[in-house]
């Protein structure tokens, strides 16, 4: 197995202290948003044999296993991260596989540069993802019942929101949500900025259920995404709990430290809370206008002490081991590629000693015996 040297991404929303605190190093004062583990070309993990991209490209069948290559091609199909949100991320959705392929092909046909700020599809892949909390973790996930959203908006006492409240009451659920989001994102920017400012002040004054939206408004004053966000469920994960975010589900991470795994794609369609491009027609094509409670996942027990976070896709499989003092060693050998990440304690993985934030890549079929005391996350694929 290969010890990984991973890159920290300094996005502006990142916490200045959470990742340094996990790694046991001094903060730099700069935001440290994500620690990437994998073979994403933008920031591949480094090994003694070269970058993980180079290692896999040299012998895909050996590193990934024949079944993984047959199913996903000669690439690692997931990206593994530690994510540290010190401020809210953009409100966003991801396309399904068919939408991604169609959108990518269309933008290629039109000759839109892949690095153009208005490009929606960077690749022809979908981007389902799973976030597992290491600390208390706040986010927005999926549409709440539109009648409940109408009550929340009406409770702000902002006159310019009343037409939106009426929209939520006047139609069947899916049409109500679609028309409401369309109206918010298509409104006159100056009028919406004024409405958002009034709503933000009311959220800050009222607190309680409005507090998360007041925090959004503090970071994104006047952004229509503040109003759009009030259509979504607020969820607070406790350590060990997770959220699975499939295609078309609007979401935003607000604060906290977590382990995230996703299909290896960069396709994001933004709904607001961002200065970046918002393509309203394409967004409305991708969003699933279905109200539902956020499905908080808890790990399910599997043999040999493994706890699995069950998801409906094959590009990744996330599980964890909580190893007690004096416990037995575990054989994690698997016919698919793995990344093992320590988040607490000290774990021995083969010849490598892992402390919080340290990780290794295990090629398909390579012996992977672990022992020690602490928490180990295991990222692999279903092939």
């Amino acid at each position: 197995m290969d010890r990984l040297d991973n890159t920290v991404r300094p996005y502006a929303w990142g916490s200045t202290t959470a990742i340094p605190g996990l790694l046991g190093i001094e903060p730099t004062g700069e935001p440290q948003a994500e620690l990437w583990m994998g073979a994403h070309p933008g920031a591949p993990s480094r090994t003694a044999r070269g970058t993980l991209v180079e290692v896999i490209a040299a012998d895909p069948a050996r590193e990934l296993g024949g079944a993984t290559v047959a199913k996903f091609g000669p690439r690692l199909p997931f990206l593994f991260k530690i994510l540290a949100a010190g401020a809210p991320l953009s409100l966003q959705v991801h396309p399904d596989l068919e939408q991604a392929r169609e959108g990518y092909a269309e933008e290629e046909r039109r000759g839109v540069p892949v690095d153009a700020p208005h490009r929606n599809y960077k690749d022809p892949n979908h981007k389902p993802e799973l976030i597992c909390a290491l600390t208390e973790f706040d986010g927005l996930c999926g549409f709440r019942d539109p009648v409940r959203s109408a009550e929340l908006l009406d409770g702000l006492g902002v006159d310019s929101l009343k037409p939106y409240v009426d929209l939520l009451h006047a139609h069947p659920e899916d049409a109500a949500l679609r028309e409401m989001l369309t109206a918010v994102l298509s409104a006159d920017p100056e009028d919406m900025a004024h409405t958002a400012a009034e709503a933000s002040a009311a959220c800050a004054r009222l607190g309680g259920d409005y507090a998360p939206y007041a925090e959004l408004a503090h970071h994104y004053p006047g952004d229509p995404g503040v109003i759009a966000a009030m259509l979504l469920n607020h969820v607070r994960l406790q350590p060990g709990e997770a959220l699975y975010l499939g295609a078309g589900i609007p979401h935003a991470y607000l604060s906290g430290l977590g382990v995230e795994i996703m299909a290896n794609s960069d396709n994001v369609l933004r709904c607001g809370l961002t200065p970046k491009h918002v393509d309203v027609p394409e967004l409305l094509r991708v969003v699933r206008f279905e109200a539902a409670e956020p499905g908080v996942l808890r790990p399910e027990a599997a043999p040999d002490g493994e706890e699995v976070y069950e998801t409906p896709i094959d590009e990744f499989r996330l599980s964890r081991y909580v190893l007690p003092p004096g416990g037995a060693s575990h054989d994690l050998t698997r016919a698919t590629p793995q990344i093992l990440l320590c988040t607490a304690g000290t774990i021995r993985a083969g010849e490598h000693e892992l402390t919080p934030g340290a990780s290794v890549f295990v090629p398909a079929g390579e012996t992977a015996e672990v022992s020690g005391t602490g928490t180990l996350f295991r990222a692999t694929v279903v092939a």
Side-chain angles (χ1 to χ4, degrees):
M1 63 181 71
D2 300 276
R3 191 179 188 93
L4 298 180
D5 179 15
N6 302 307
T7 298
V8 174
R9 307 291 271 184
Y11 305 133
W13 49 261
S15 167
T16 59
T17 59
I19 288 178
L22 181 72
L23 300 177
I25 61 176
E26 287 295 317
T28 64
E30 298 298 317
Q32 298 188 34
E34 296 180 345
L35 181 73
W36 284 20
M37 295 161 282
H40 191 289
S45 299
R46 299 170 293 278
T47 78
R49 298 188 286 155
T51 70
L52 201 51
V53 169
E54 294 166 342
V55 167
I56 291 170
D59 195 343
R62 178 183 181 277
E63 303 298 332
L64 303 178
T68 299
V69 173
K71 193 166 189 176
F72 301 109
R75 65 186 188 92
L76 189 66
F78 65 82
L79 176 62
F80 199 24
K81 300 178 181 180
I82 296 172
L83 182 146
L89 283 67
S90 63
L91 189 61
Q92 58 189 256
V93 297
H94 306 301
D96 64 25
L97 192 55
E98 182 179 355
Q99 290 165 338
R101 288 171 175 168
E102 290 175 353
Y104 180 79
E106 174 60 19
E107 290 185 320
E108 288 288 282
R109 186 190 66 77
R110 292 192 283 116
V112 182
V114 73
D115 59 351
H118 62 285
R119 174 119 185 190
N120 293 316
Y121 297 96
K122 311 293 187 185
D123 54 72
N125 200 16
H126 62 166
K127 193 186 177 186
E129 60 190 41
L130 179 76
I131 183 77
C132 178
L134 294 178
T135 65
E136 199 170 71
F137 194 98
D138 277 60
L140 303 174
C141 177
F143 291 109
R144 63 159 59 90
D145 185 310
V147 173
R148 171 66 183 127
S149 292
E151 292 170 352
L152 199 70
L153 289 168
D154 199 35
L156 293 172
V158 175
D159 288 344
S160 54
L161 284 175
K162 294 195 180 302
Y164 300 110
V165 171
D166 292 340
L167 280 177
L168 291 171
H169 280 299
H171 301 282
E173 180 180 281
D174 58 343
L177 292 168
R178 177 181 289 274
E179 291 203 26
M180 168 64 175
L181 187 62
T182 303
V184 168
L185 298 180
S186 305
D188 177 81
E190 188 173 333
D191 290 344
M192 179 49 65
H194 180 72
T195 295
E198 282 194 86
S200 302
C203 285
R205 183 178 68 254
L206 293 167
D209 289 346
Y210 294 99
Y213 308 102
E215 180 68 12
L216 286 179
H218 171 74
H219 290 280
Y220 300 99
D223 193 302
V226 173
I227 305 301
M230 296 185 74
L231 299 174
L232 306 187
N233 298 294
H234 173 242
V235 60
R236 175 165 293 166
L237 301 177
Q238 298 304 312
E241 295 180 336
L243 281 176
Y244 172 71
L245 298 155
I249 306 301
H251 62 277
Y253 301 148
L254 305 183
S255 65
L257 180 69
V259 168
E260 185 182 38
I261 189 167
M262 61 184 61
N264 206 345
S265 171
D266 290 324
N267 289 327
V268 175
L269 289 153
R270 295 175 176 85
C271 316
L273 309 180
T274 178
K276 295 182 179 180
H277 177 62
V278 177
D279 185 334
V280 176
E282 187 64 15
L283 174 73
L284 296 174
R285 187 177 81 92
V286 168
V287 171
R288 293 183 179 177
F289 292 96
E290 302 168 355
E293 291 293 321
V296 175
L297 295 178
R298 295 172 182 84
E300 299 184 11
D304 195 33
E306 187 179 25
E307 299 176 328
V308 181
Y309 293 90
E310 297 288 353
T311 60
I313 49 90
D314 293 342
E315 281 86 348
F316 60 76
R317 176 184 184 273
L318 182 69
S319 62
R320 71 173 184 177
Y321 288 81
V322 180
L323 305 180
S329 63
H330 297 264
D331 183 1
L332 273 57
T333 305
R334 190 177 170 93
T336 51
Q338 305 178 74
I339 292 178
L340 307 179
L341 166 69
C342 174
T343 60
T346 302
I347 307 291
R348 171 68 61 175
E351 64 182 18
H352 303 282
E353 184 174 272
L354 304 183
T355 53
S359 57
V360 292
F361 172 72
V362 186
E366 289 288 317
T367 300
E369 188 166 304
V370 301
S371 60
T373 302
T375 301
L376 184 77
F377 281 87
R378 180 194 212 187
T380 185
V381 303
V382 180

